[in-house]
Amino acid sequence: IVIIELGANDALRGLKPEETEKNLLAAIKSAKEQKIEVVLAGMKAPPNYGAEYSKKFESIFSNLSKKEKVKLIPFILEGVAGESNLNQSDGIHPNERGHKMIADSLYQFLSSIL
């Protein structure tokens, strides 16, 4: 099993959602060609590029999950994003406690599919 997650930096830089989708699709296809089960981890865009960008960006993950028939973790940072006590001083990157929460969530998700 491989967990594929990317996009946070794409969204922070304002990369076109189509580019992020293309890159994710290439990674998914590469793993599937090697007979590796894929779990896609979703990401949300920060609000600074507007609602339309955020909606387009966030839909990438559910669309690819359906199209490529891979399991989806809707938002890898669920419960961690935006929580100051779970992130480093930059407000973006999880701290040790935030990483522990992410790991616990991943463990629960993977346990349910294994």
Side-chain angles (χ1 to χ4, degrees):
I1 294 175
V2 64
I3 299 170
I4 298 176
E5 184 277 319
L6 66 80
N9 288 327
D10 292 359
L12 288 171
R13 294 181 314 195
L15 189 70
K16 291 180 182 177
E18 297 81 10
E19 285 296 310
T20 299
E21 184 172 13
K22 182 180 89 175
N23 294 335
L24 277 169
L25 181 58
I28 292 168
K29 286 185 179 277
S30 177
K32 288 172 84 175
E33 286 170 2
Q34 297 174 61
K35 308 289 188 239
I36 299 171
E37 183 178 348
V38 174
V39 173
L40 182 59
M43 184 54 63
K44 293 186 179 185
N48 54 314
Y49 290 106
E52 185 178 333
Y53 180 89
S54 292
K55 184 178 176 182
K56 244 179 150 174
F57 181 85
E58 292 168 24
S59 70
I60 291 168
F61 302 92
S62 59
N63 291 345
L64 281 176
S65 171
K66 290 173 191 162
K67 179 181 170 187
E68 293 299 314
K69 296 178 177 63
V70 298
K71 291 176 177 55
L72 175 67
I73 300 168
F75 181 40
I76 191 74
L77 298 177
E78 189 66 49
V80 175
E83 298 296 327
S84 60
N85 63 326
L86 298 175
N87 286 279
Q88 296 178 36
S89 60
D90 64 7
I92 297 171
H93 296 95
N95 62 22
E96 185 176 343
R97 288 181 59 213
H99 279 289
K100 170 106 172 67
M101 283 189 65
I102 294 166
D104 290 345
S105 294
L106 286 173
Y107 178 79
Q108 288 177 14
F109 183 87
L110 292 172
S111 294
S112 73
I113 64 171
L114 294 176

